[in-house]
Amino acid sequence: MEAQEIVALEQQYVVHTYNRPEFVLDRGEGVWVYDTEGKAYLDFLGGIAVNALGHCHPAIAQAIEAQACKLLHVSNLYHTAPQALLARDLVESAPGIDRIFFCNSGTEAVEACIKFARKYGKANGGKTAFVAFEHSFHGRSMGALALTAKAKYREPFEPLMPGVHFSPFNDLEAAVQLMAEVKPCAVIVEAVQGEGGIYPASPAFLQGLRQVCDEHGALLICDEVQCGVGRTGNLWAYEASGVQPDLVSVAKPLGGGLPIGVAMAAQRVASLLEPGDHGSTFAANPLICAVARAVLSTINTPDFLASIRAKGAYLGGRLEALAAKRDNITEIRGRGLMWGVETPMNTKDVLPAGYREGLLLGSSGEHVIRLLPPFIVEEGDIDEAVARLDRVLAGA
Ligand SMILES: *Cc1c(COP(=O)(O)O)cnc(C)c1O
């Protein structure tokens, strides 16, 4: 089938919630994807922080093959080994976390955290409000969307979950004041904000939030859907600040390309949850759990995490050098393999110029180019991507 015909089918039959470029992706290998015409693209978006091990990683392919021939799905009414083992692996990876709730996406992971925090808050003084931050993104359901800062995403669908209060990001004083006023059951924060523009939280901000949560008996929820599972060079992005959250939402990279979501909970929250409180038909089937175990065990080694920090520092250095020579870069922000390049240009023009150069880039709004390369990226790939980005910014 020709690319044009595939695009025409999509335009006729799929709800138009995405603007897609005119090519059709067909296969991938490592940091590269190829369209149906055979054109190669260096993938520096990684399926929006999902393809942490790149495309067609052997550990993932083998896990899929082995489990697909054994058992795919039986529902959560029964015990299966891959789920139990993945839960153990996750708990052991996160000090302070005692139990795992499984679901299918980042939004669902946040939604589970919302429900668990509500149950905790009601049992501890009847608290129901939430504090979230400007530039936050937590998902698209009526609860997760309520915690998402961008008015354009929220307003067409209001009324959403009530009782959400936004505070400026990285401004501890403002958060302290707001919390005294609204007495929330929980505060939700991304240690590095992703969709909102790649803004890293300062360690002092996260430490201060932990302290003020403790003072008010509120829970600290870290949304690690984008920044977690090694992206920043720590397995969990909040680790860099030394804080321990009460709830953690995880998704994007954990399934290596298959859908999985996880809400990780400390015992004092988990102990309030009973059969019937929450559930999912699809979640944590043996296939996705076998794959997630392969992903997690590949990433969660000291050497692999150190390699992410080294490559991340290299990418950051190359972007700084690019910024020094290009006046259409106004700021570079990021950590590990998560970078934002702020530009006065519109990302609506930058991304298509990237496609022409054979480079897949992301955007965070109109003026931040977002880079989320797979963790298996090599320095040579980074050089090539930065050279292509240079041509994009020169010509777009
Ligand atoms: C993408 C994202 C979500 C939503 O995840 P989905 O899998 O798209 O539902 C939630 N929180 C953060 C921080 C994200 O980046």
Side-chain angles (χ1 to χ4, degrees):
M1 215 185 219
E2 295 284 317
Q4 263 179 334
E5 294 172 73
I6 296 165
V7 171
L9 287 177
E10 187 267 354
Q11 284 179 351
Q12 184 172 354
Y13 294 114
V14 179
V15 172
H16 191 190
T17 55
Y18 286 95
N19 286 313
R20 294 172 180 158
E22 294 287 303
F23 55 85
V24 175
L25 294 175
D26 187 45
R27 66 190 178 86
E29 194 182 342
V31 295
W32 294 91
V33 286
Y34 301 86
D35 69 16
T36 48
E37 325 261 87
K39 179 172 175 176
Y41 303 82
L42 196 46
D43 186 0
F44 263 54
L45 183 56
I48 322 183
V50 167
N51 300 104
L53 300 182
H55 298 278
C56 299
H57 191 281
I60 294 177
Q62 279 156 22
I64 291 174
E65 195 184 356
Q67 191 59 47
C69 301
K70 201 173 175 198
L71 191 65
L72 278 189
H73 173 89
V74 290
S75 89
N76 279 302
L77 302 178
Y78 307 102
H79 288 290
T80 55
Q83 179 181 132
L85 293 166
L86 176 61
R88 179 199 62 191
D89 293 353
L90 285 165
V91 165
E92 288 180 350
S93 80
I97 292 299
D98 301 294
R99 286 179 189 272
I100 302 300
F101 175 83
F102 288 108
C103 49
N104 308 285
S105 69
T107 298
E108 284 182 48
V110 169
E111 206 68 32
C113 291
I114 292 171
K115 285 182 71 174
F116 298 170
R118 270 280 176 82
K119 193 152 191 217
Y120 182 89
K122 286 195 174 187
N124 289 275
K127 296 191 283 282
T128 60
F130 288 86
V131 167
F133 294 97
E134 290 171 8
H135 302 292
S136 64
F137 183 89
H138 298 296
R140 307 274 196 168
S141 61
M142 301 307 254
L145 185 57
L147 301 173
T148 293
K150 203 171 187 171
K152 194 185 123 190
Y153 291 162
R154 275 189 289 120
E155 280 167 0
F157 306 103
E158 285 172 350
L160 306 172
M161 176 180 75
V164 178
H165 306 271
F166 291 98
S167 195
F169 190 65
N170 269 337
D171 182 343
L172 185 60
E173 272 315 299
V176 167
Q177 268 184 24
L178 182 63
M179 290 200 38
E181 238 170 82
V182 305
K183 308 241 181 325
C185 65
V187 175
I188 184 166
V189 64
E190 297 158 83
V192 182
Q193 292 184 319
E195 308 284 326
I198 313 291
Y199 293 103
S202 73
F205 181 59
L206 292 180
Q207 289 154 10
L209 290 180
R210 176 71 275 179
Q211 196 185 334
V212 66
C213 279
D214 290 342
E215 285 163 15
H216 289 283
L219 299 175
L220 180 63
I221 307 173
C222 282
D223 185 349
E224 294 263 324
V225 168
Q226 190 158 156
C227 59
V229 198
R231 173 68 54 191
T232 62
N234 292 105
L235 188 66
W236 307 113
Y238 61 75
E239 279 172 36
S241 64
V243 303
Q244 283 188 2
D246 304 290
L247 284 163
V248 184
S249 50
V250 184
K252 288 180 171 118
L254 184 60
L258 293 182
I260 185 170
V262 167
M264 309 202 294
Q267 185 63 21
R268 65 189 172 115
V269 185
S271 62
L272 292 175
L273 300 166
E274 302 162 358
D277 273 348
H278 204 25
S280 166
T281 300
F282 278 128
N285 68 41
L287 178 76
I288 182 59
C289 290
V291 173
R293 286 192 76 210
V295 171
L296 188 64
S297 66
T298 303
I299 294 170
N300 192 19
T301 73
D303 284 352
F304 196 92
L305 291 168
S307 80
I308 295 173
R309 289 193 291 276
K311 291 168 189 177
Y314 185 77
L315 175 56
R318 295 304 313 266
L319 292 172
E320 290 291 351
L322 189 63
K325 88 171 203 197
R326 289 237 152 266
D327 55 13
N328 52 7
I329 297 180
T330 46
E331 196 177 28
I332 303 286
R333 297 185 292 271
R335 254 172 59 197
L337 287 170
M338 185 171 186
W339 287 89
V341 176
E342 190 151 332
T343 174
M345 296 164 66
N346 197 308
T347 49
K348 282 195 188 78
D349 304 318
V350 174
L351 267 52
Y355 304 142
R356 289 194 288 278
E357 288 290 341
L359 178 63
L360 301 188
L361 298 166
S363 59
S364 291
E366 289 185 348
H367 298 292
V368 180
I369 304 165
R370 186 160 44 138
L371 305 178
L372 298 162
F375 307 163
I376 50 132
V377 70
E378 299 287 344
E379 286 190 359
D381 305 320
I382 291 172
D383 290 340
E384 184 58 39
V386 172
R388 290 181 188 204
L389 179 60
D390 188 19
R391 292 202 290 276
V392 164
L393 292 172

